[in-house]
C-alpha cells in the first residue's frame, strides 16, 4: 500500500496527461474535480496544452523565418528545437536541411527588388559553402545533391541549366509544404503522452518477444532433429570403427607371429569401412591383391562424397487441398499456402525438389489452366492481407525454378494478375516484394518480356525508382534488375525513348545509391538504352559524361571498366534506330536453366501455429495425404551458361539471385 501511495501522484498525473492529449475534456474535468474532492495530489507532469501552444509558436516562428529569408533566426530555432538525434540520424531531416540551406542561399536572388545587396549575398553564399564543407559533406556521395556543391562557385546561378529548377515559382512553396509537414511530425512525436509511450513499448516488446521465442523454439526443434540424426549416424560409425580397429590390432599381432593376412580378409575389412553405396561395387570390381589399393580406397572414402539418396516426400491429395484453398477459412488458407511453399523451399535440390514441383504442375496447383470463376489463383485478390502475401510468396517460389516459370507462363492471366496486384498493393511491403520478384524472374522468358513491355510496366518501374530511399533493398534490387531486362529488348528501348529525360535522371541518381548490389543492373540498363541516338542526344545535353566520370574516381576497378564502356556507347555515332528489331527474332526462351531459392522467400513469417494447431509438412501429411504417385522426371536441359566477365555492362537477362551466385542468365 505504501508503494502505491508513493507513486499515486505520478500515476494520476499520467492519466490526466493522456485525457488532455486525447481531448476527453468532460472526463478530464470530472477526473480533476474528483481528485480534488478526495484530496488526491495531481503530479504536474503533463502541461499538455501549454506544451502544445509552445510547439505551435515555435512552428510559426520557423515558418515565418523561412518566408522572410531570415537565415540566422531560422537555423538558431532549428538547432534548438529539432533534436540532434533527428538532425544527424534521420535521412529525411538531412535532405530537408540541405534544401533549406539552398533556399536561404538563393533567397536574395529570387526575392530582392532590383539588384541584391552584394555583401549580404556573399555572406549567404559563404554560409552555404561552410555548410557544404562541414555538416553537408555527408551528402556529397549522393547523386541527387552532387550538382549543388558547385552552386557557391557559379557566378550567376539563375541562368545556369543545372539550377533552373530552384528558380521556378513552384520550388519554394513545395519546400515550405515539406517543412510544415516535417515540423508537425516532429512536434507531435515530442508531445506523445508518457502513458501511451509506456503502453506501446511494453505491448510491442512483449509481442515481439513471444514471436521470437516461438520462432526460436520451432528452429530449435528442427535443429535438434537434424542433430539427433547426425548423432545416431556418428554413433553407428563409431561402433563400426571400434570393431574394425579391434580386428586390425588382432591382425597385426598375428603378423608378428608369422601369420599372413589374406586379400579376402582385407577386402571384408575395407568394405565395412566404406559407405553402403560403395560396398557392392568394391566387392566385385576392386582387386585387393594389388599393393596400395586398400589405402587408396580408404582415402577416397574420406574425401567429400555426394549426399546419399534423399527420400521422396509423400504424395498429397491435391483435389482436397485445392478445395480447402478456395473454400476454407483465411487462417487455413494461409497455413496451407505456407506449407506448400515450405515443401518447395526446404526440399533438397535435385530429385526431391523436382518431384515436388512436378506434382504441383501436373495437378495444376494454382489452377492456371482452370476456367472456373473461383480458383486458387484468385487468392492474389483475397481480402486477407496474410492470404495475399502467402499466395505471392508461393508464386515467387515457383517462379524461382525454370519449370515453375514455364508452368506459370503458359497462361497470360497469371502475368496480368501479378501486374494488377503489383500496382494495387500498397499496404503490405512483403507482398509487393514477392510479386515484383516473381515478375522479375518472368522477365527471363522472352514472350513475357514482350507482354510486360506492352503493358507499360517500364513506366511503373521508373515511377517507383524516382524515390529509391523509400524502397526496401529487395524491391530496389529486383525493380532495377527487371527494368534492365526489359531495356535489353528493342521494344523496351523504344519505350524508354518516349521518356528519355526521366529515365536518364532516374538511372543517373541510382548510380550513386548506397546499395551497391544494383550497380550492374543500372550500368546494363544505361548501356542498353544509349544505343538509341535520341537517348544519347538527351544524355549529352544533361551532361551525362561528367556525371559518369564522377563515379570513375570513386568506383572499384570492375565498375570503372563498365562505366568506360557506357561512356564509349554515349559518344558513339552509330545509327541503330531502324534496325533494332533483330534481338526480337531470337529463340523464345532466353534463360539459362538456373534455379535459385532465395532465403527471403521464408523471411518474417506472419502466422505461427497455436497450441495443438498443425502447420508445415505435418499439416500436409496429416490432413492431405494422397496415394503414392510420386515419380522422378528427367530435368529439362537448359541453355548453356553464358559467362559474364564483369568488365562489360550486362547484356543478357539476369535475376538478382542468380547473378549473386555468379550465374548470369
Amino acid at each position: 500500500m505504501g508503494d502505491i501511495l508513493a507513486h499515486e501522484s505520478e500515476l494520476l498525473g499520467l492519466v490526466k496527461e493522456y485525457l488532455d492529449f486525447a481531448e476527453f475534456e468532460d472526463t478530464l474535468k470530472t477526473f480533476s474535480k474528483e481528485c480534488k474532492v478526495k484530496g488526491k495530489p495531481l503530479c504536474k507532469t503533463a502541461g499538455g496544452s501549454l506544451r502544445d501552444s509552445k510547439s505551435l509558436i515555435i512552428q510559426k516562428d520557423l515558418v515565418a523565418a523561412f518566408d522572410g529569408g531570415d537565415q540566422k533566426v531560422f537555423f538558431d530555432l532549428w538547432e534548438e528545437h529539432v533534436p540532434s538525434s533527428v538532425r544527424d540520424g534521420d535521412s529525411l531531416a538531412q535532405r530537408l536541411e540541405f534544401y533549406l540551406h539552398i533556399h536561404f542561399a538563393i533567397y536574395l536572388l529570387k526575392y530582392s527588388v532590383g539588384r541584391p545587396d552584394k555583401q549580404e549575398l556573399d555572406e549567404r553564399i559563404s554560409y552555404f559553402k561552410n555548410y557544404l564543407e562541414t555538416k553537408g559533406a555527408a551528402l556529397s556521395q549522393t547523386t541527387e545533391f552532387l550538382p549543388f556543391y558547385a552552386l557557391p562557385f557559379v557566378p550567376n546561378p539563375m541562368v545556369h541549366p543545372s539550377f533552373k529548377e530552384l528558380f521556378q515559382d513552384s520550388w519554394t512553396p513545395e519546400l515550405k509544404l515539406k517543412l510544415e509537414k516535417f515540423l508537425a511530425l516532429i512536434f507531435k512525436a515530442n508531445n506523445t503522452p508518457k502513458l501511451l509511450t509506456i503502453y506501446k513499448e511494453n505491448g510491442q516488446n512483449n509481442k515481439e518477444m513471444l514471436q521470437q521465442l516461438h520462432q526460436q523454439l520451432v528452429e530449435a526443434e528442427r535443429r535438434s532433429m537434424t542433430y539427433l540424426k547426425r548423432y545416431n549416424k556418428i554413433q553407428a560409425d563409431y561402433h563400426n570403427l571400434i570393431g574394425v580397429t579391434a580386428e586390425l590390432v588382432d591382425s597385426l599381432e598375428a603378423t608378428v607371429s608369422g601369420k599372413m593376412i589374406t586379400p579376402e580378409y582385407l577386402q571384408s575389412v575395407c568394405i565395412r569401412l566404406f559407405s553402403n553405396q560403395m560396398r557392392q561395387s568394391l566387392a566385385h570390381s576392386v582387386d585387393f591383391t594389388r599393393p596400395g589399393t586398400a589405402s587408396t580406397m580408404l582415402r577416397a572414402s574420406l574425401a567429400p562424397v555426394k549426399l546419399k539418396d534423399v527420400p521422396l516426400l509423400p504424395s498429397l491429395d491435391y483435389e482436397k487441398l485445392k478445395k480447402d484453398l478456395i473454400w476454407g477459412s483465411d487462417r487455413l488458407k494461409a497455413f496451407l499456402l505456407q506449407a506448400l511453399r515450405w515443401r518447395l523451399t526446404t526440399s533438397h535440390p535435385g530429385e526431391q525438389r523436382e518431384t515436388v514441383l512436378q506434382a504441383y504442375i501436373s495437378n495444376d496447383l494454382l489452377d492456371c489452366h482452370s476456367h472456373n470463376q473461383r480458383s486458387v489463383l484468385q487468392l492474389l485478390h483475397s481480402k486477407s492481407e496474410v492470404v495475399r502475401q502467402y499466395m505471392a510468396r508461393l508464386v515467387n517460389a515457383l517462379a524461382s525454378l525454370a519449370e515453375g516459370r514455364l508452368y506459370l507462363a503458359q497462361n497470360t492471366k497469371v502475368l496480368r494478375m501479378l501486374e494488377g496486384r503489383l500496382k494495387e498493393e500498397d499496404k503490405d511491403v512483403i507482398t509487393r516484394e514477392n510479386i515484383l520478384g516473381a515478375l522479375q524472374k518472368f522477365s527471363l522468358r522472352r514472350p513475357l518480356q514482350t507482354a510486360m513491355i506492352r503493358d507499360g510496366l517500364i513506366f511503373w518501374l521508373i515511377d517507383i525508382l524516382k524515390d529509391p530511399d523509400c524502397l526496401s533493398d529487395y524491391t530496389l534490387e529486383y525493380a532495377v534488375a527487371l527494368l534492365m531486362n526489359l531495356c535489353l529488348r528493342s521494344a523496351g528501348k523504344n519505350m524508354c525513348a518516349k521518356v528519355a529525360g526521366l529515365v536518364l535522371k532516374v538511372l543517373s541518381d541510382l548510380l550513386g545509391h548506397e546499395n551497391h548490389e544494383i550497380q550492374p543492373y543500372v550500368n546494363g540498363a544505361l548501356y542498353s538504352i544509349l544505343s538509341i541516338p535520341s537517348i544519347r542526344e538527351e544524355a549529352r545535353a544533361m551532361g551525362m559524361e561528367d556525371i559518369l566520370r564522377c563515379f570513375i574516381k570513386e568506383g572499384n576497378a570492375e565498375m570503372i571498366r563498365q562505366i568506360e564502356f557506357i561512356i564509349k556507347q554515349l559518344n558513339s555515332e552509330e545509327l541503330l534506330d531502324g534496325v533494332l528489331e533483330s534481338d526480337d527474332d531470337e529463340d523464345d526462351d532466353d534463360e539459362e536453366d538456373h534455379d535459385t531459392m532465395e532465403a527471403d522467400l521464408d523471411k518474417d513469417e506472419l502466422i505461427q501455429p497455436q497450441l495443438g494447431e498443425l502447420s508445415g509438412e505435418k499439416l500436409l501429411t496429416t490432413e492431405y495425404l494422397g496415394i503414392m504417385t510420386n515419380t522422378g522426371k528427367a530435368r529439362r536441359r537448359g541453355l548453356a551458361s553464358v559467362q559474364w566477365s564483369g568488365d562489360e555492362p550486362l547484356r543478357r537477362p539476369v535475376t538478382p539471385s542468380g547473378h549473386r551466385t555468379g550465374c548470369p542468365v
Side-chain angles (χ1 to χ4, degrees):
M1 190 68 180
D3 289 341
I4 296 174
L5 291 173
H7 298 288
E8 187 177 39
S9 176
E10 186 178 354
L11 288 170
L12 293 172
L14 292 176
V15 174
K16 181 178 182 294
E17 180 189 32
Y18 178 75
L19 292 174
D20 187 24
F21 173 81
E23 298 180 354
F24 288 106
E25 296 177 3
D26 294 338
T27 308
L28 179 58
K29 287 177 184 176
T30 305
F31 176 74
S32 300
K33 183 179 178 181
E34 191 167 354
C35 286
K36 187 176 180 181
V37 169
K38 292 185 177 182
K40 302 287 186 181
L42 278 173
C43 179
K44 297 183 179 179
T45 55
S49 58
L50 180 63
R51 187 170 54 192
D52 288 345
S53 61
K54 186 179 178 184
S55 297
L56 287 172
I57 292 169
I58 295 167
Q59 291 180 61
K60 287 180 181 178
D61 288 346
L62 279 163
V63 173
F66 176 89
D67 290 336
D70 199 332
Q71 183 171 261
K72 185 177 185 310
V73 171
F74 182 89
F75 285 111
D76 284 347
L77 289 169
W78 179 266
E79 292 182 10
E80 182 181 353
H81 297 290
V82 177
S84 59
S85 58
V86 175
R87 286 186 279 115
D88 299 334
D90 184 78
S91 60
L92 181 65
Q94 290 173 341
R95 293 170 65 188
L96 177 61
E97 186 172 352
F98 193 99
Y99 284 118
L100 288 169
H101 275 279
I102 294 175
H103 165 73
F104 287 109
I106 65 172
Y107 184 85
L108 293 179
L109 294 173
K110 290 187 73 171
Y111 299 108
S112 291
V113 179
R115 286 179 69 87
D117 183 271
K118 188 176 184 307
Q119 182 179 351
E120 188 179 351
L121 180 61
D122 289 344
E123 286 176 2
R124 287 174 179 266
I125 295 297
S126 176
Y127 188 86
F128 180 53
K129 185 180 177 185
N130 181 63
Y131 165 76
L132 294 177
E133 293 170 351
T134 52
K135 191 175 178 182
L139 296 172
S140 62
Q141 306 301 315
T142 308
T143 311
E144 178 185 353
F145 300 107
L146 204 56
F148 300 120
Y149 284 81
L151 181 61
F153 307 100
V154 175
N156 190 357
M158 296 181 71
V159 298
H160 197 282
S162 298
F163 309 124
K164 63 180 181 181
E165 181 186 358
L166 303 178
F167 294 93
Q168 292 178 356
D169 293 339
S170 60
W171 188 81
T172 302
E174 287 175 2
L175 180 61
K176 180 179 177 181
L177 185 61
K178 289 179 181 178
L179 172 64
E180 289 173 338
K181 287 182 178 179
F182 175 79
L183 293 176
L185 190 65
I186 288 295
F187 286 110
K188 184 177 181 182
N190 291 340
N191 290 339
T192 303
K194 191 175 179 182
L195 186 63
L196 184 59
T197 304
I198 293 170
Y199 171 77
K200 287 168 69 176
E201 287 177 354
N202 287 346
Q204 186 65 26
N205 289 344
N206 290 340
K207 185 179 179 183
E208 289 175 358
M209 189 177 296
L210 283 172
Q211 288 177 345
Q212 288 173 4
L213 288 172
H214 191 278
Q215 190 66 32
Q216 288 171 10
L217 179 62
V218 172
E219 290 297 323
E221 288 175 349
R222 190 179 299 174
R223 285 198 302 270
S224 68
M225 290 300 295
T226 304
Y227 294 149
L228 185 61
K229 289 177 183 176
R230 290 180 185 174
Y231 166 75
N232 290 335
K233 184 182 182 304
I234 291 170
Q235 189 177 45
D237 290 344
Y238 168 74
H239 289 304
N240 184 42
L241 192 58
I242 289 295
V244 172
T245 304
E247 287 190 28
L248 290 174
V249 170
D250 292 340
S251 301
L252 284 171
E253 289 177 350
T255 56
V256 173
S257 304
K259 294 181 181 178
M260 296 296 293
I261 298 174
T262 65
E264 290 78 16
Y265 172 74
L266 185 60
Q267 182 181 24
S268 69
V269 171
C270 287
I271 287 175
R272 286 169 62 190
L273 283 172
F274 299 139
S275 61
N276 290 330
Q277 62 192 22
M278 295 176 66
R279 289 178 185 173
Q280 191 173 358
S281 61
L282 286 173
H284 297 291
S285 61
V286 179
D287 182 7
F288 282 91
T289 62
R290 292 169 53 196
T293 301
S295 61
T296 301
M297 293 305 298
L298 185 57
R299 290 190 187 97
S301 73
L302 295 173
V305 295
K306 291 175 71 176
L307 290 172
K308 295 182 181 179
D309 291 338
V310 178
L312 300 181
L313 294 171
S315 292
L316 303 176
D317 183 345
Y318 286 93
E319 187 175 338
K320 183 182 177 185
L321 254 172
K322 292 201 285 184
K323 183 180 177 182
D324 283 353
L325 280 170
I326 294 172
W327 301 104
S329 67
D330 285 341
R331 187 166 178 82
L332 176 60
K333 290 175 185 176
F335 274 121
L336 286 175
L337 291 169
Q338 182 189 59
L340 290 165
R341 166 168 47 88
W342 282 354
R343 184 172 254 235
L344 203 56
T345 58
T346 61
S347 57
H348 289 274
E351 188 179 9
Q352 190 185 67
R353 179 171 289 169
E354 287 167 19
T355 306
V356 171
L357 180 60
Q358 289 305 323
Y360 288 1
I361 294 171
S362 60
N363 289 282
D364 192 16
L365 176 63
L366 301 189
D367 287 334
C368 290
H369 306 298
S370 170
H371 299 290
N372 296 331
Q373 281 190 333
R374 299 201 64 159
S375 65
V376 176
L377 206 55
Q378 295 292 333
L379 295 180
L380 280 169
H381 297 300
S382 170
K383 292 180 180 179
S384 166
E385 288 184 25
V386 179
V387 173
R388 286 203 310 273
Q389 182 188 123
Y390 277 35
M391 183 63 187
R393 287 182 190 239
L394 180 57
V395 172
N396 193 13
L398 284 165
S400 300
L401 305 172
E403 291 286 347
R405 289 192 288 275
L406 183 61
Y407 164 62
L408 294 168
Q410 288 174 352
N411 193 330
T412 54
K413 75 176 180 181
V414 180
L415 175 65
R416 300 288 184 261
M417 286 183 75
L418 289 173
E419 288 178 333
R421 190 73 255 158
L422 180 69
K423 295 169 184 176
E424 293 169 15
E425 191 64 58
D426 55 359
K427 292 182 180 179
D428 193 319
V429 173
I430 294 181
T431 302
R432 190 169 75 166
E433 282 182 357
N434 280 276
I435 293 172
L436 182 61
L439 287 172
Q440 201 286 325
K441 292 158 192 170
F442 278 15
S443 71
L444 299 176
R445 303 193 62 82
R446 188 168 288 275
L448 296 178
Q449 290 175 1
T450 303
M452 284 188 262
I453 292 168
R454 286 176 181 165
D455 292 343
L457 197 57
I458 285 177
F459 298 135
W460 184 87
L461 290 167
I462 292 166
D463 188 56
I464 68 159
L465 288 171
K466 282 194 271 186
D467 195 359
D469 292 335
C470 293
L471 305 177
S472 67
D473 286 342
Y474 187 99
T475 300
L476 177 60
E477 200 169 330
Y478 275 78
V480 179
L482 175 55
L483 178 62
M484 186 202 78
N485 286 358
L486 300 183
C487 287
L488 294 174
R489 299 290 301 280
S490 60
K493 297 172 192 174
N494 289 329
M495 197 72 77
C496 288
K498 296 178 181 178
V499 286
L502 181 57
V503 177
L504 289 167
K505 175 146 191 340
V506 166
L507 290 175
S508 62
D509 287 348
L510 290 171
L511 278 171
H513 199 272
E514 60 187 10
N515 185 342
H516 298 298
E517 297 289 345
I518 68 173
Q519 296 307 323
Y521 317 126
V522 176
N523 293 344
L526 267 175
Y527 184 85
S528 179
I529 65 173
L530 286 173
S531 64
I532 305 281
S534 60
I535 298 181
R536 287 202 300 270
E537 186 178 338
E538 182 80 27
R540 290 168 189 160
M542 67 180 285
M544 178 62 76
E545 184 170 351
D546 292 337
I547 295 172
L548 291 169
R549 292 201 180 278
C550 286
F551 294 105
I552 284 183
K553 297 174 186 176
E554 302 168 4
N556 56 38
E558 183 181 296
M559 193 59 57
I560 289 170
R561 286 192 292 271
Q562 289 185 28
I563 290 177
E564 286 171 347
F565 270 95
I566 297 171
I567 292 174
K568 185 178 178 182
Q569 178 83 304
L570 175 65
N571 293 322
S572 168
E573 296 299 334
E574 293 180 15
L575 298 175
L576 297 174
D577 274 350
V579 289
L580 281 170
E581 294 305 319
S582 60
D583 70 307
D584 291 342
D585 298 331
E586 297 175 13
D587 295 337
D588 279 349
D589 195 352
D590 197 20
E591 63 171 302
E592 177 192 355
D593 196 5
H594 180 74
D595 297 338
T596 306
M597 287 285 187
E598 313 110 300
D600 300 82
L601 291 168
D602 294 329
K603 73 174 184 181
D604 300 333
E605 296 287 357
L606 285 179
I607 56 171
Q608 300 293 342
Q610 297 173 356
L611 193 63
E613 203 170 21
L614 297 175
S615 68
E617 192 65 20
K618 199 166 185 180
L619 170 63
L620 296 178
T621 53
T622 303
E623 300 291 338
Y624 301 93
L625 197 60
I627 301 171
M628 260 314 210
T629 54
N630 277 334
T631 55
K633 181 180 175 183
R635 195 154 190 255
R636 180 171 66 93
R637 293 176 63 87
L639 300 177
S641 174
V642 181
Q643 297 301 317
W644 178 61
S645 68
D647 289 349
E648 301 181 28
L650 289 163
R651 300 189 192 181
R652 295 180 67 83
V654 299
T655 194
S657 55
H659 180 231
R660 286 196 200 100
T661 59
C663 301
V665 179

